[in-house]
Each structure stands twice: as structure tokens, then as C-alpha cells.
Amino acid sequence: MQGLTEEEAVARLTGHVRLRTLVVLRWLAVAGQSFAVIFVHLSLGFPLPLGLCLAAIAASAWLNIFASLRYPAQRMLGDKEAAFYLAYDILQLACLLYLTGGLKNPFSLLFLAPVTISASVLGLRATLALGGLALACITFLALFHFPLPWSPGETPVLPPMYLGGIWAALVLGLGFTAIYAWRIASERTRMSTALAATQLVLAREQKLSALGGLAAAAAHELGTPLATIQLVAKEMALEFDKEFDKTHPLAEDADLLVSQAERCRDILARLSLRGEEGDIVHDTMNLESLLSEAVEPYRALGADICVRIAPPATAEPITLMRSPEILYGLQNIIENAADFAKKRVDINAEINGAGLKIIVSDDGPGFAQEVLARLGEPYITTRAAAHGPRRPGAAAPHEGMGLGFFIAKTLLERTGGEVAFANRLGPDRDRPSGARVSVFWAAAAVDALAGRP
């Protein structure tokens, strides 16, 4: 979903509901409405327009039958189709309530159901349209309706103020439940898309990390056929030397084939050597090598990147297992710092009995206060906003989807790290003088990263 806005990314995964789901829900509504109408009319003895009520219920049953026969049950409905079915449910409910007392009927609470369903699975536009339709029906029923079914000879009279309270309660309940359901569904969808992006990034990094082993395997497998080609080419060259004394047109080609086969063997030998080293060296790295590899791609961005490790390099270096999660997470943080730094990025690492701490800070404008508390959540970005003039020679800042810090934080926390975002305070302590991201691994997490039990 690269290049999509937050709304577009969420819309990709919303607005789809199975036809079977709506059909099953409508059958439940038909059963409940039929039972309520028959119970009130026959058991309680309250007179009501039974024929018209059953006709309205039958219309829902016929719509279900038509939809089941016309379309497959697994058909996925888009926003417009699903909104049409839910709009019908609102109108059918309004018709039944019109025949049975309007807002005086306690079942008017069921107006919340279609709008809540829409807020959970459909887009914001469809939910607003259905909410407006429900509001119009509620207002109409507050003014126009058949009498509420009651005992013969008795007519319940509710004060207008009470009816106004019912109307207000339904309107507020409609808005609250719709907003609540929409926010929860949106958060779930954003988190799902962000986690999917994280999994793709991790899979890519793991593939890149495994290329060393694949190269060694390829070198081993190609060694035998290449040796055969080289042997045959040498025999051809010897035959040409014996019979034609290198005057045959193909003699030069045979010599070229031998030389290129030897060159291929040298290349495969180097790949195989790298693969053997990778078992011992490539799969482990000390802290200095880890930071050097994380920093190297971003030295050309223009900022002066300074790496400091405490205790000094004379102390015994810590050796860690190579982790694509740590490398990618740190690179994402360093890239962001190098993009926004004016001149300098500082990377400080410290290892002690408490654990390992890496701090990445820059001298740029710092994080915007309105997003600082939310950094690490998906789709939170400040790249679109101008943070002052760009450094001379630096690449133009790109507008991301706001997944960079989320992916970095997710991957680093997967390794046992704790990520914190803050601003560096300037001399006047009123305005930030740069951004600061710290990652801390406790001693137990460091042991796990080092492969120690």
C-alpha cells in the first residue's frame, strides 16, 4: 500500500461485508418482529393493524429470498450495496414503528443496529448517510404514527417533554454508538495494515540476511558442472593444439572458454569462502560492527554521523547474533534523524550490567509536539509538514505513510527492546534543539541476543 494516504489505506480493507451475513441478520429480525407482533396481538390482546405489520415483515422475508436466489451467499458487498440493504432495514423498521406507536414503542431502540453495523464494516460516507436516514425516520416518527397498541378502551398519554427525551436519547445514542464503533473498527484496520507491512519488511530483511547462505549453497552446487565444463574445454584446446597447432578457428574460442571457466571457479570459490565465514562471522557481530552497518547507507545524506560506544573500544566487545529486526529498526531511526538533522547525528551506545542502550539524536527541529506522544503508532507522520529549510545537498524529504517508526518500534520490541521518543531541549529550554530516540535492552534481552542461555 505504498503511496496511499491513511484514509485510502483504511478504505482498502473496509466497505466489504458478505451478503450471507446481512441475510442471516435480517432473518433474525424477521423472526423477532413476527414473534413480537403475534405475541402483542394474540397473547396480550392489544389491537394493532396486523395485516399491514405482517406485510412489512413479509417484505423483508421476500428480499432475503430474492437475494439468496439471485446472488451466491459468499458474495462480497461493497459500500453502496451494503448501504442499500441497511437502508432498507431502517425504512422497514420505521414502517413497523409507524404502525405500532412511533417513538412510544420501546423497540424504537433498534434504529441503532443498522447504523452500528455500518460504522463497523463500511466507510465513513456510507455510515453518515445511513445515520442521516435514521435521524430523519426518528424525527418523522416523533410527529406522525399510529396509536400505540394498548388495552381496548385505554389510550396511554405520554407528555411531550417525555417524547422529546426519547427522541434526544435515540439521536445521542445513534451518534455515540456509531462514532464508537467506527473508531474501534478504524483502529483495528489501521493496526492490521500496519502489522501486515511490518511482516513484509521483516520477511524481506530475513531474505536479504539469508543471501550469504544461499550464495554458498549455489557455489557448492555449481562447482561440479563447472569443473566438467572446464575439463572438456581443456581437452578441446589440447586436441586443437595437437592437430592444428592453434591454426583452427575454434582454437582461440576453446582457450577463451577455459579462461572464463577458471574465472567462474574463482568467483564461486570466493562466494563459498564468504558462506563459510558467514557461519561464524556473518551470523554474529559486535556492537561496533552493528552500528557501522546500520549507519553506512545514510552517510551520504549530508549529515555528519558520529558513533560513540561506552565503555571504550579497548574493553571486551559484546558479540550479538545478527538480527534483521535490529538492523532494520535502527536504520529506520537513523534515516529519519539524518533526513531532519541540520548538520549532525549522534549515536551513543552504552553496555553495562543493566543492559544495552542506544541513543540516536540529531540537531534538527525535533518532533512536533502534537505527534510526539503518539509516535510509534501506525500512520503518524510529520514529513508532509515543513520543518525548516533543508540542508544543502540533502535529498528532498519524501511523504511517507507514517509507518516507519511503527515498524521500527515493532521490530525492536520483538527483540526485547524498549523504544522511547523525546525532544532534546535547547539552551532556553523552551524550544527543542533536536529529536532523541532511545532503545534499551535489559540484561536478559542482551543475553538472548548474544545467544547465551
Side-chain angles (χ1 to χ4, degrees), residues 184-268:
I184 293 297
S186 298
E187 288 295 330
R188 185 186 67 244
T189 302
R190 281 195 290 268
M191 189 62 67
S192 298
T193 56
L195 288 175
T198 304
Q199 294 295 336
L200 290 176
V201 168
L202 181 57
R204 184 185 64 186
E205 293 301 315
Q206 288 174 338
K207 286 183 179 180
L208 291 176
S209 180
L211 284 179
L214 291 176
H220 177 74
E221 295 294 331
L222 292 175
T224 300
L226 187 59
T228 303
I229 294 174
Q230 186 179 27
L231 178 61
V232 173
K234 285 183 177 181
E235 292 180 351
M236 292 173 56
L238 289 175
E239 290 294 329
F240 286 133
D241 289 344
K242 291 178 181 179
E243 297 187 14
F244 302 100
D245 193 20
K246 294 187 178 182
T247 58
H248 194 278
L250 295 179
E252 184 178 351
D253 293 339
D255 292 335
L256 178 62
L257 186 60
V258 172
S259 64
Q260 293 302 308
E262 291 177 351
R263 182 183 177 189
C264 287
R265 291 200 64 178
D266 292 339
I267 294 174
L268 290 180

Side-chain angles (χ1 to χ4, degrees), residues 120-198:
S120 300
V121 297
L122 303 185
L124 180 60
R125 186 175 301 177
T127 301
L128 290 175
L130 291 172
L133 176 62
L135 177 60
C137 292
I138 291 172
T139 304
F140 176 83
L141 291 174
L143 303 174
F144 309 100
H145 53 81
F146 278 35
L148 179 68
W150 207 255
S151 299
E154 298 181 18
T155 303
V157 178
L158 298 179
M161 184 68 70
Y162 184 78
L163 288 176
I166 295 177
W167 179 89
L170 286 174
V171 171
L172 292 176
L174 198 69
F176 176 78
T177 54
I179 293 174
Y180 183 84
W182 179 74
R183 284 296 302 172
I184 293 297
S186 298
E187 288 295 330
R188 185 186 67 244
T189 302
R190 281 195 290 268
M191 189 62 67
S192 298
T193 56
L195 288 175
T198 304

